[in-house]
PDB file of all heavy atoms in Angstrom:
ATOM      1  N   LEU A   1       0.815  -1.212  -0.097  1.00  0.00           N
ATOM      2  CA  LEU A   1       0.111   0.003   0.056  1.00  0.00           C
ATOM      3  C   LEU A   1       0.889   1.211   0.018  1.00  0.00           C
ATOM      4  O   LEU A   1       1.342   1.814   1.029  1.00  0.00           O
ATOM      5  CB  LEU A   1      -0.964   0.030   1.237  1.00  0.00           C
ATOM      6  CG  LEU A   1      -1.977   1.108   1.246  1.00  0.00           C
ATOM      7  CD1 LEU A   1      -3.019   0.937   0.187  1.00  0.00           C
ATOM      8  CD2 LEU A   1      -2.536   1.211   2.715  1.00  0.00           C
ATOM      9  N   SER A   2       1.031   1.922  -1.126  1.00  0.00           N
ATOM     10  CA  SER A   2       1.802   3.044  -1.274  1.00  0.00           C
ATOM     11  C   SER A   2       1.087   4.207  -0.720  1.00  0.00           C
ATOM     12  O   SER A   2      -0.135   4.234  -0.873  1.00  0.00           O
ATOM     13  CB  SER A   2       2.251   3.266  -2.807  1.00  0.00           C
ATOM     14  OG  SER A   2       2.960   2.188  -3.324  1.00  0.00           O
ATOM     15  N   ALA A   3       1.812   5.216  -0.182  1.00  0.00           N
ATOM     16  CA  ALA A   3       1.098   6.374   0.229  1.00  0.00           C
ATOM     17  C   ALA A   3       0.368   7.162  -0.705  1.00  0.00           C
ATOM     18  O   ALA A   3      -0.727   7.605  -0.500  1.00  0.00           O
ATOM     19  CB  ALA A   3       2.291   7.405   0.793  1.00  0.00           C
ATOM     20  N   ASP A   4       0.847   7.143  -2.097  1.00  0.00           N
ATOM     21  CA  ASP A   4       0.127   7.945  -3.080  1.00  0.00           C
ATOM     22  C   ASP A   4      -0.973   7.171  -3.508  1.00  0.00           C
ATOM     23  O   ASP A   4      -1.781   7.779  -4.549  1.00  0.00           O
ATOM     24  CB  ASP A   4       1.091   8.289  -4.270  1.00  0.00           C
ATOM     25  CG  ASP A   4       1.687   7.034  -4.939  1.00  0.00           C
ATOM     26  OD1 ASP A   4       1.254   6.088  -4.628  1.00  0.00           O
ATOM     27  OD2 ASP A   4       2.594   7.349  -5.722  1.00  0.00           O
ATOM     28  N   PHE A   5      -1.508   6.034  -2.955  1.00  0.00           N
ATOM     29  CA  PHE A   5      -2.838   5.434  -3.420  1.00  0.00           C
ATOM     30  C   PHE A   5      -3.853   6.310  -2.604  1.00  0.00           C
ATOM     31  O   PHE A   5      -5.054   6.266  -3.042  1.00  0.00           O
ATOM     32  CB  PHE A   5      -2.811   3.970  -3.080  1.00  0.00           C
ATOM     33  CG  PHE A   5      -2.041   3.141  -3.817  1.00  0.00           C
ATOM     34  CD1 PHE A   5      -1.485   1.973  -3.491  1.00  0.00           C
ATOM     35  CD2 PHE A   5      -1.783   3.353  -5.119  1.00  0.00           C
ATOM     36  CE1 PHE A   5      -0.635   1.185  -4.147  1.00  0.00           C
ATOM     37  CE2 PHE A   5      -1.071   2.550  -6.076  1.00  0.00           C
ATOM     38  CZ  PHE A   5      -0.484   1.363  -5.568  1.00  0.00           C
ATOM     39  N   LEU A   6      -3.600   6.822  -1.410  1.00  0.00           N
ATOM     40  CA  LEU A   6      -4.568   7.403  -0.689  1.00  0.00           C
ATOM     41  C   LEU A   6      -4.868   8.831  -1.128  1.00  0.00           C
ATOM     42  O   LEU A   6      -3.988   9.594  -1.371  1.00  0.00           O
ATOM     43  CB  LEU A   6      -4.086   7.495   0.878  1.00  0.00           C
ATOM     44  CG  LEU A   6      -4.441   6.215   1.746  1.00  0.00           C
ATOM     45  CD1 LEU A   6      -3.555   5.017   1.228  1.00  0.00           C
ATOM     46  CD2 LEU A   6      -4.114   6.640   3.150  1.00  0.00           C
ATOM     47  N   GLY A   7      -6.119   9.211  -1.158  1.00  0.00           N
ATOM     48  CA  GLY A   7      -6.551  10.555  -1.535  1.00  0.00           C
ATOM     49  C   GLY A   7      -5.963  11.562  -0.563  1.00  0.00           C
ATOM     50  O   GLY A   7      -5.601  12.676  -1.052  1.00  0.00           O
ATOM     51  N   VAL A   8      -5.864  11.327   0.668  1.00  0.00           N
ATOM     52  CA  VAL A   8      -5.400  12.187   1.694  1.00  0.00           C
ATOM     53  C   VAL A   8      -3.976  12.524   1.490  1.00  0.00           C
ATOM     54  O   VAL A   8      -3.495  13.468   2.135  1.00  0.00           O
ATOM     55  CB  VAL A   8      -5.691  11.856   3.181  1.00  0.00           C
ATOM     56  CG1 VAL A   8      -7.100  11.910   3.436  1.00  0.00           C
ATOM     57  CG2 VAL A   8      -5.072  10.420   3.388  1.00  0.00           C
ATOM     58  N   LEU A   9      -3.355  11.636   0.820  1.00  0.00           N
ATOM     59  CA  LEU A   9      -1.817  11.928   0.482  1.00  0.00           C
ATOM     60  C   LEU A   9      -1.562  12.206  -0.949  1.00  0.00           C
ATOM     61  O   LEU A   9      -0.380  12.022  -1.477  1.00  0.00           O
ATOM     62  CB  LEU A   9      -1.025  10.620   0.953  1.00  0.00           C
ATOM     63  CG  LEU A   9      -0.952  10.485   2.456  1.00  0.00           C
ATOM     64  CD1 LEU A   9      -0.262   9.073   2.754  1.00  0.00           C
ATOM     65  CD2 LEU A   9      -0.386  11.526   3.274  1.00  0.00           C
ATOM     66  N   GLY A  10      -2.683  12.678  -1.698  1.00  0.00           N
ATOM     67  CA  GLY A  10      -2.299  13.076  -3.005  1.00  0.00           C
ATOM     68  C   GLY A  10      -2.812  12.206  -4.113  1.00  0.00           C
ATOM     69  O   GLY A  10      -2.805  12.572  -5.312  1.00  0.00           O
ATOM     70  N   GLY A  11      -3.343  10.970  -3.719  1.00  0.00           N
ATOM     71  CA  GLY A  11      -3.754  10.063  -4.780  1.00  0.00           C
ATOM     72  C   GLY A  11      -5.009  10.593  -5.608  1.00  0.00           C
ATOM     73  O   GLY A  11      -5.875  11.255  -4.837  1.00  0.00           O
ATOM     74  N   THR A  12      -5.081  10.403  -6.736  1.00  0.00           N
ATOM     75  CA  THR A  12      -6.186  10.955  -7.491  1.00  0.00           C
ATOM     76  C   THR A  12      -7.169   9.944  -8.179  1.00  0.00           C
ATOM     77  O   THR A  12      -8.091  10.211  -8.944  1.00  0.00           O
ATOM     78  CB  THR A  12      -5.639  11.769  -8.801  1.00  0.00           C
ATOM     79  OG1 THR A  12      -4.752  10.856  -9.593  1.00  0.00           O
ATOM     80  CG2 THR A  12      -4.759  12.938  -8.321  1.00  0.00           C
ATOM     81  N   HIS A  13      -7.021   8.716  -7.885  1.00  0.00           N
ATOM     82  CA  HIS A  13      -7.629   7.661  -8.426  1.00  0.00           C
ATOM     83  C   HIS A  13      -8.989   7.304  -7.594  1.00  0.00           C
ATOM     84  O   HIS A  13      -9.772   6.468  -8.144  1.00  0.00           O
ATOM     85  CB  HIS A  13      -6.989   6.305  -8.622  1.00  0.00           C
ATOM     86  CG  HIS A  13      -5.816   6.453  -9.626  1.00  0.00           C
ATOM     87  ND1 HIS A  13      -5.934   6.394 -10.923  1.00  0.00           N
ATOM     88  CD2 HIS A  13      -4.487   6.696  -9.345  1.00  0.00           C
ATOM     89  CE1 HIS A  13      -4.816   6.609 -11.491  1.00  0.00           C
ATOM     90  NE2 HIS A  13      -3.828   6.811 -10.611  1.00  0.00           N
ATOM     91  N   LYS A  14      -9.208   7.891  -6.426  1.00  0.00           N
ATOM     92  CA  LYS A  14     -10.365   7.720  -5.770  1.00  0.00           C
ATOM     93  C   LYS A  14     -10.747   6.275  -5.391  1.00  0.00           C
ATOM     94  O   LYS A  14     -11.800   5.728  -5.633  1.00  0.00           O
ATOM     95  CB  LYS A  14     -11.575   8.313  -6.426  1.00  0.00           C
ATOM     96  CG  LYS A  14     -11.400   9.876  -6.618  1.00  0.00           C
ATOM     97  CD  LYS A  14     -12.644  10.430  -7.245  1.00  0.00           C
ATOM     98  CE  LYS A  14     -12.372  11.921  -7.371  1.00  0.00           C
ATOM     99  NZ  LYS A  14     -13.674  12.670  -8.083  1.00  0.00           N
ATOM    100  N   ILE A  15      -9.669   5.597  -4.894  1.00  0.00           N
ATOM    101  CA  ILE A  15      -9.849   4.069  -4.604  1.00  0.00           C
ATOM    102  C   ILE A  15      -9.632   3.730  -3.195  1.00  0.00           C
ATOM    103  O   ILE A  15      -9.705   2.576  -2.783  1.00  0.00           O
ATOM    104  CB  ILE A  15      -8.726   3.325  -5.525  1.00  0.00           C
ATOM    105  CG1 ILE A  15      -7.360   4.007  -5.129  1.00  0.00           C
ATOM    106  CG2 ILE A  15      -9.001   3.318  -6.921  1.00  0.00           C
ATOM    107  CD1 ILE A  15      -6.205   3.167  -5.922  1.00  0.00           C
ATOM    108  N   THR A  16      -9.613   4.723  -2.223  1.00  0.00           N
ATOM    109  CA  THR A  16      -9.411   4.378  -0.889  1.00  0.00           C
ATOM    110  C   THR A  16     -10.255   5.258  -0.016  1.00  0.00           C
ATOM    111  O   THR A  16      -9.880   5.927   0.982  1.00  0.00           O
ATOM    112  CB  THR A  16      -7.878   4.662  -0.407  1.00  0.00           C
ATOM    113  OG1 THR A  16      -7.534   6.103  -0.666  1.00  0.00           O
ATOM    114  CG2 THR A  16      -6.947   3.799  -1.130  1.00  0.00           C
ATOM    115  N   PRO A  17     -11.562   5.186  -0.114  1.00  0.00           N
ATOM    116  CA  PRO A  17     -12.523   6.027   0.560  1.00  0.00           C
ATOM    117  C   PRO A  17     -12.486   5.703   2.004  1.00  0.00           C
ATOM    118  O   PRO A  17     -12.570   6.543   2.963  1.00  0.00           O
ATOM    119  CB  PRO A  17     -13.926   5.786  -0.105  1.00  0.00           C
ATOM    120  CG  PRO A  17     -13.886   4.494  -0.766  1.00  0.00           C
ATOM    121  CD  PRO A  17     -12.355   4.485  -1.219  1.00  0.00           C
ATOM    122  N   THR A  18     -12.369   4.350   2.424  1.00  0.00           N
ATOM    123  CA  THR A  18     -12.291   3.895   3.733  1.00  0.00           C
ATOM    124  C   THR A  18     -11.056   4.368   4.501  1.00  0.00           C
ATOM    125  O   THR A  18     -11.236   5.084   5.648  1.00  0.00           O
ATOM    126  CB  THR A  18     -12.321   2.392   3.888  1.00  0.00           C
ATOM    127  OG1 THR A  18     -13.476   1.847   3.308  1.00  0.00           O
ATOM    128  CG2 THR A  18     -12.281   1.854   5.335  1.00  0.00           C
ATOM    129  N   LEU A  19      -9.898   4.236   3.894  1.00  0.00           N
ATOM    130  CA  LEU A  19      -8.635   4.646   4.507  1.00  0.00           C
ATOM    131  C   LEU A  19      -8.600   6.143   4.635  1.00  0.00           C
ATOM    132  O   LEU A  19      -8.148   6.717   5.511  1.00  0.00           O
ATOM    133  CB  LEU A  19      -7.507   4.153   3.768  1.00  0.00           C
ATOM    134  CG  LEU A  19      -7.200   2.682   3.865  1.00  0.00           C
ATOM    135  CD1 LEU A  19      -6.257   2.188   2.896  1.00  0.00           C
ATOM    136  CD2 LEU A  19      -6.866   2.324   5.333  1.00  0.00           C
ATOM    137  N   ASP A  20      -9.162   6.871   3.542  1.00  0.00           N
ATOM    138  CA  ASP A  20      -9.197   8.331   3.640  1.00  0.00           C
ATOM    139  C   ASP A  20     -10.049   8.888   4.811  1.00  0.00           C
ATOM    140  O   ASP A  20      -9.721   9.867   5.554  1.00  0.00           O
ATOM    141  CB  ASP A  20      -9.769   8.886   2.440  1.00  0.00           C
ATOM    142  CG  ASP A  20      -8.713   8.819   1.230  1.00  0.00           C
ATOM    143  OD1 ASP A  20      -7.576   8.647   1.498  1.00  0.00           O
ATOM    144  OD2 ASP A  20      -9.176   8.746   0.051  1.00  0.00           O
ATOM    145  N   SER A  21     -11.235   8.155   5.013  1.00  0.00           N
ATOM    146  CA  SER A  21     -12.011   8.426   6.205  1.00  0.00           C
ATOM    147  C   SER A  21     -11.347   8.206   7.563  1.00  0.00           C
ATOM    148  O   SER A  21     -11.527   8.934   8.410  1.00  0.00           O
ATOM    149  CB  SER A  21     -13.359   7.698   5.969  1.00  0.00           C
ATOM    150  OG  SER A  21     -14.245   7.849   7.154  1.00  0.00           O
ATOM    151  N   LEU A  22     -10.776   7.073   7.635  1.00  0.00           N
ATOM    152  CA  LEU A  22     -10.035   6.738   8.872  1.00  0.00           C
ATOM    153  C   LEU A  22      -8.924   7.640   9.202  1.00  0.00           C
ATOM    154  O   LEU A  22      -8.670   8.064  10.331  1.00  0.00           O
ATOM    155  CB  LEU A  22      -9.581   5.223   8.778  1.00  0.00           C
ATOM    156  CG  LEU A  22     -10.573   4.102   8.745  1.00  0.00           C
ATOM    157  CD1 LEU A  22      -9.854   2.779   8.582  1.00  0.00           C
ATOM    158  CD2 LEU A  22     -11.345   4.008  10.144  1.00  0.00           C
ATOM    159  N   ALA A  23      -8.235   8.071   8.115  1.00  0.00           N
ATOM    160  CA  ALA A  23      -7.159   9.063   8.264  1.00  0.00           C
ATOM    161  C   ALA A  23      -7.600  10.263   8.986  1.00  0.00           C
ATOM    162  O   ALA A  23      -6.953  10.929   9.609  1.00  0.00           O
ATOM    163  CB  ALA A  23      -6.468   9.301   6.938  1.00  0.00           C
ATOM    164  N   ASN A  24      -8.752  10.755   8.632  1.00  0.00           N
ATOM    165  CA  ASN A  24      -9.342  11.966   9.222  1.00  0.00           C
ATOM    166  C   ASN A  24      -9.917  11.766  10.644  1.00  0.00           C
ATOM    167  O   ASN A  24     -10.462  12.804  11.173  1.00  0.00           O
ATOM    168  CB  ASN A  24     -10.486  12.582   8.260  1.00  0.00           C
ATOM    169  CG  ASN A  24      -9.916  13.117   6.931  1.00  0.00           C
ATOM    170  OD1 ASN A  24      -8.751  13.698   6.935  1.00  0.00           O
ATOM    171  ND2 ASN A  24     -10.386  12.810   5.835  1.00  0.00           N
ATOM    172  N   ASN A  25     -10.025  10.593  11.096  1.00  0.00           N
ATOM    173  CA  ASN A  25     -10.605  10.271  12.340  1.00  0.00           C
ATOM    174  C   ASN A  25      -9.607   9.344  13.163  1.00  0.00           C
ATOM    175  O   ASN A  25     -10.083   8.553  14.004  1.00  0.00           O
ATOM    176  CB  ASN A  25     -11.840   9.616  12.164  1.00  0.00           C
ATOM    177  CG  ASN A  25     -12.942  10.442  11.561  1.00  0.00           C
ATOM    178  OD1 ASN A  25     -13.701  11.293  12.192  1.00  0.00           O
ATOM    179  ND2 ASN A  25     -13.050  10.299  10.203  1.00  0.00           N
ATOM    180  N   SER A  26      -8.398   9.513  13.119  1.00  0.00           N
ATOM    181  CA  SER A  26      -7.408   8.751  13.745  1.00  0.00           C
ATOM    182  C   SER A  26      -6.062   9.474  13.998  1.00  0.00           C
ATOM    183  O   SER A  26      -5.875  10.770  13.594  1.00  0.00           O
ATOM    184  CB  SER A  26      -6.980   7.416  12.920  1.00  0.00           C
ATOM    185  OG  SER A  26      -8.112   6.848  12.337  1.00  0.00           O
ATOM    186  N   LEU A  27      -5.180   8.882  14.612  1.00  0.00           N
ATOM    187  CA  LEU A  27      -3.746   9.411  14.567  1.00  0.00           C
ATOM    188  C   LEU A  27      -3.236   8.867  13.111  1.00  0.00           C
ATOM    189  O   LEU A  27      -3.154   7.700  12.972  1.00  0.00           O
ATOM    190  CB  LEU A  27      -2.824   8.724  15.638  1.00  0.00           C
ATOM    191  CG  LEU A  27      -3.102   9.242  17.133  1.00  0.00           C
ATOM    192  CD1 LEU A  27      -2.074   8.610  17.973  1.00  0.00           C
ATOM    193  CD2 LEU A  27      -2.998  10.820  17.135  1.00  0.00           C
ATOM    194  N   PHE A  28      -2.920   9.833  12.359  1.00  0.00           N
ATOM    195  CA  PHE A  28      -2.622   9.462  10.900  1.00  0.00           C
ATOM    196  C   PHE A  28      -1.157  10.061  10.689  1.00  0.00           C
ATOM    197  O   PHE A  28      -0.872  11.301  10.847  1.00  0.00           O
ATOM    198  CB  PHE A  28      -3.567  10.038   9.956  1.00  0.00           C
ATOM    199  CG  PHE A  28      -3.232   9.883   8.447  1.00  0.00           C
ATOM    200  CD1 PHE A  28      -3.067   8.544   8.068  1.00  0.00           C
ATOM    201  CD2 PHE A  28      -3.081  10.892   7.551  1.00  0.00           C
ATOM    202  CE1 PHE A  28      -2.588   8.300   6.701  1.00  0.00           C
ATOM    203  CE2 PHE A  28      -2.722  10.707   6.242  1.00  0.00           C
ATOM    204  CZ  PHE A  28      -2.500   9.392   5.834  1.00  0.00           C
ATOM    205  N   PHE A  29      -0.276   9.155  10.337  1.00  0.00           N
ATOM    206  CA  PHE A  29       1.088   9.527  10.114  1.00  0.00           C
ATOM    207  C   PHE A  29       1.413   9.767   8.645  1.00  0.00           C
ATOM    208  O   PHE A  29       1.429   8.938   7.790  1.00  0.00           O
ATOM    209  CB  PHE A  29       2.112   8.461  10.564  1.00  0.00           C
ATOM    210  CG  PHE A  29       1.834   8.185  12.220  1.00  0.00           C
ATOM    211  CD1 PHE A  29       0.916   7.254  12.597  1.00  0.00           C
ATOM    212  CD2 PHE A  29       2.445   8.931  13.122  1.00  0.00           C
ATOM    213  CE1 PHE A  29       0.681   7.046  13.908  1.00  0.00           C
ATOM    214  CE2 PHE A  29       2.275   8.771  14.476  1.00  0.00           C
ATOM    215  CZ  PHE A  29       1.379   7.800  14.898  1.00  0.00           C
ATOM    216  N   GLU A  30       1.568  11.134   8.261  1.00  0.00           N
ATOM    217  CA  GLU A  30       1.573  11.362   6.875  1.00  0.00           C
ATOM    218  C   GLU A  30       2.993  11.312   6.273  1.00  0.00           C
ATOM    219  O   GLU A  30       3.165  11.353   4.999  1.00  0.00           O
ATOM    220  CB  GLU A  30       1.266  12.885   6.730  1.00  0.00           C
ATOM    221  CG  GLU A  30      -0.094  13.228   7.216  1.00  0.00           C
ATOM    222  CD  GLU A  30      -0.583  14.690   7.122  1.00  0.00           C
ATOM    223  OE1 GLU A  30       0.319  15.520   7.619  1.00  0.00           O
ATOM    224  OE2 GLU A  30      -1.515  15.060   6.434  1.00  0.00           O
ATOM    225  N   ASN A  31       4.113  11.177   7.137  1.00  0.00           N
ATOM    226  CA  ASN A  31       5.410  11.218   6.630  1.00  0.00           C
ATOM    227  C   ASN A  31       6.315  10.073   7.083  1.00  0.00           C
ATOM    228  O   ASN A  31       7.358  10.259   7.551  1.00  0.00           O
ATOM    229  CB  ASN A  31       6.094  12.579   7.052  1.00  0.00           C
ATOM    230  CG  ASN A  31       7.279  12.961   6.185  1.00  0.00           C
ATOM    231  OD1 ASN A  31       7.331  12.481   5.108  1.00  0.00           O
ATOM    232  ND2 ASN A  31       8.104  14.021   6.726  1.00  0.00           N
ATOM    233  N   LEU A  32       5.755   8.921   6.890  1.00  0.00           N
ATOM    234  CA  LEU A  32       6.402   7.799   7.447  1.00  0.00           C
ATOM    235  C   LEU A  32       6.877   6.863   6.264  1.00  0.00           C
ATOM    236  O   LEU A  32       6.341   6.837   5.256  1.00  0.00           O
ATOM    237  CB  LEU A  32       5.188   6.877   8.110  1.00  0.00           C
ATOM    238  CG  LEU A  32       5.695   5.667   9.009  1.00  0.00           C
ATOM    239  CD1 LEU A  32       6.027   6.332  10.431  1.00  0.00           C
ATOM    240  CD2 LEU A  32       4.648   4.586   9.082  1.00  0.00           C
TER     241      LEU A  32
END
């Protein structure tokens, strides 16, 4: 799972709605 698959990390394919939602409601590490 590359970071750039996630919309919250710049992904444009709209394929991770669950992870994007969790990222906004969790401790989310953006630079790991």
Side-chain angles (χ1 to χ4, degrees):
L1 185 69
S2 302
D4 59 10
F5 288 149
L6 274 66
V8 290
L9 291 175
T12 59
H13 295 280
K14 299 181 179 179
I15 51 178
T16 58
T18 297
L19 292 171
D20 290 339
S21 175
L22 289 174
N24 290 319
N25 294 279
S26 308
L27 286 183
F28 178 55
F29 301 94
E30 300 178 308
N31 201 18
L32 193 85

